[in-house]
Amino acid sequence: MQAFQVHAFDAPPALTDVPVPRPGPGEVALRIAACGVNFADMLMAQGKYQDTPALPFTLGMEVCGTVAALGPGVTAPAIGTRVSVFGGQGGMAQVAVYDAARCRPVPDAMPDTVAAGFQVAYGTSHLALSHRARLQPGDTLLVLGAAGGVGLTAVEIGHAMGARVIAVARGADKLAVARAAGADHMLDSDAGDLKAQLKALCADIGGVDVVYDPVGGDAFKAALSVCNREARVVIIGFASGEVPQILANLLLVKNITVIGFYWGGYLTFAPQVLSDSLAELMDWYAQGRLRPHIGAVLPLDRANEALAHLADRTATGKIVIVP
């Protein structure tokens, strides 16, 4: 079969012919229907992600597929069951093997492309906003990178939780996507001094109670300048490439809390918290409260193109690979 693999961190990933994997004890083999692409995949390909596997490895953190074979001792999910899995790697392939305990049944009404890109983006935003930031109805939520894979879900979930949402993204097209997801106010990060734009807006509507930041860099600094007292700033990632340095005196004066958040970490120290969050999100989807935005669906032989869209920040919503 074919798999999109990283063989060296100084060379692009490439399609590679590999043996079809067989499930071991406690595992299942999935025939992959779709694989969500995440910013972490790009970092893994460069050897810069905190959980980068040993070389060589197959990219693809989350998938939707059909159970094709069971390993020894496994009785469920049954062969033929459609499931989604966050496996951390292996998804950009025709077949992949995963721990059976990580497989989650997919509702019939949820398309493969949606299910493949649902767990990381929606799970990240929901757990970050509800569990870590304790977002409340009536809070003002500032979302940086608001048209990206996780940022757009933060806009949508923040709106669903009753917050007033300020979306920051690059250009009118991306801001239109954020508006459709529920943003109340839109700011173009390419339209001049972001700090000045935020201060002008907040002079009219009041400051910010929660910041959702997958960008870092100067955007983080600008967001910190408009935080209300006891604001919560959730650090999701650093798409700008710059890890900001925090001036602790600003935190002290306004009693601001800066919160680190890594969704995948909950699999190891609090898996039930993650499972409960995903169960609630599935309920929201079934109720029609969530409308996932798929920005592009690409075949496996165009996976490098998908990574390039993430690198140059031209993607909106989720990019999905269909092998």
Side-chain angles (χ1 to χ4, degrees), residues 170-321:
R170 298 170 63 186
D173 291 345
K174 288 188 173 184
L175 289 173
V177 172
R179 181 191 290 273
D184 300 287
H185 304 278
M186 279 69 60
L187 294 177
D188 187 345
S189 57
D190 280 347
D193 186 341
L194 178 59
K195 182 177 179 179
Q197 290 188 70
L198 283 168
K199 282 186 170 294
L201 175 62
C202 290
D204 293 332
I205 69 170
V208 170
D209 301 301
V210 175
V211 177
Y212 181 97
D213 181 17
V215 177
D218 290 338
F220 172 89
K221 300 171 189 174
L224 206 60
S225 72
V226 293
C227 282
N228 287 329
R229 297 186 186 279
E230 294 193 327
R232 291 84 73 199
V233 181
V234 188
I235 298 175
I236 305 297
F238 312 104
S240 67
E242 180 186 343
V243 178
Q245 302 302 302
I246 301 171
L247 296 176
N249 61 309
L250 292 178
L251 310 185
L252 183 151
V253 170
K254 287 191 174 182
N255 290 292
I256 295 170
T257 302
V258 177
I259 302 167
F261 183 79
Y262 170 40
W263 181 80
Y266 282 83
L267 286 168
T268 58
F269 74 87
Q272 192 59 50
V273 172
L274 188 148
S275 295
D276 292 345
S277 168
L278 288 174
E280 184 171 4
L281 287 167
M282 285 294 187
D283 285 342
W284 286 10
Y285 179 84
Q287 296 166 20
R289 296 177 66 186
L290 302 177
R291 299 183 302 278
H293 177 83
I294 306 299
V297 178
L298 299 172
L300 193 57
D301 60 5
R302 293 175 62 188
N304 269 318
E305 184 179 330
L307 297 180
H309 282 311
L310 295 182
D312 61 22
R313 298 170 67 183
T314 57
T316 59
K318 200 73 175 182
I319 301 176
V320 177
I321 298 296

Side-chain angles (χ1 to χ4, degrees), residues 44-267:
M44 278 189 194
Q46 300 168 354
K48 297 178 180 178
Y49 191 59
Q50 60 262 30
D51 284 338
T52 299
L55 294 170
F57 63 91
T58 300
L59 288 172
M61 301 180 72
E62 56 177 337
V63 302
C64 176
T66 302
V67 178
L70 306 179
V74 177
T75 58
I79 290 176
T81 304
R82 198 164 66 103
V83 299
S84 62
V85 184
F86 173 77
Q89 61 171 303
M92 295 189 196
Q94 293 170 311
V95 177
V97 166
Y98 297 106
D99 186 336
R102 290 197 179 188
C103 295
R104 302 177 186 278
V106 175
D108 291 341
M110 181 179 279
D112 293 336
T113 51
V114 170
F118 192 84
Q119 289 195 50
V120 172
Y122 279 97
T124 293
S125 292
H126 183 260
L127 208 56
L129 293 176
S130 65
H131 182 69
R132 295 291 279 146
R134 307 295 182 185
L135 183 70
Q136 300 297 312
D139 279 349
T140 297
L141 167 65
L142 171 60
V143 180
L144 305 176
V150 293
L152 192 61
T153 63
V155 171
E156 191 175 8
I157 288 171
H159 174 76
M161 293 178 68
R164 174 169 55 184
V165 181
I166 303 170
V168 176
R170 298 170 63 186
D173 291 345
K174 288 188 173 184
L175 289 173
V177 172
R179 181 191 290 273
D184 300 287
H185 304 278
M186 279 69 60
L187 294 177
D188 187 345
S189 57
D190 280 347
D193 186 341
L194 178 59
K195 182 177 179 179
Q197 290 188 70
L198 283 168
K199 282 186 170 294
L201 175 62
C202 290
D204 293 332
I205 69 170
V208 170
D209 301 301
V210 175
V211 177
Y212 181 97
D213 181 17
V215 177
D218 290 338
F220 172 89
K221 300 171 189 174
L224 206 60
S225 72
V226 293
C227 282
N228 287 329
R229 297 186 186 279
E230 294 193 327
R232 291 84 73 199
V233 181
V234 188
I235 298 175
I236 305 297
F238 312 104
S240 67
E242 180 186 343
V243 178
Q245 302 302 302
I246 301 171
L247 296 176
N249 61 309
L250 292 178
L251 310 185
L252 183 151
V253 170
K254 287 191 174 182
N255 290 292
I256 295 170
T257 302
V258 177
I259 302 167
F261 183 79
Y262 170 40
W263 181 80
Y266 282 83
L267 286 168

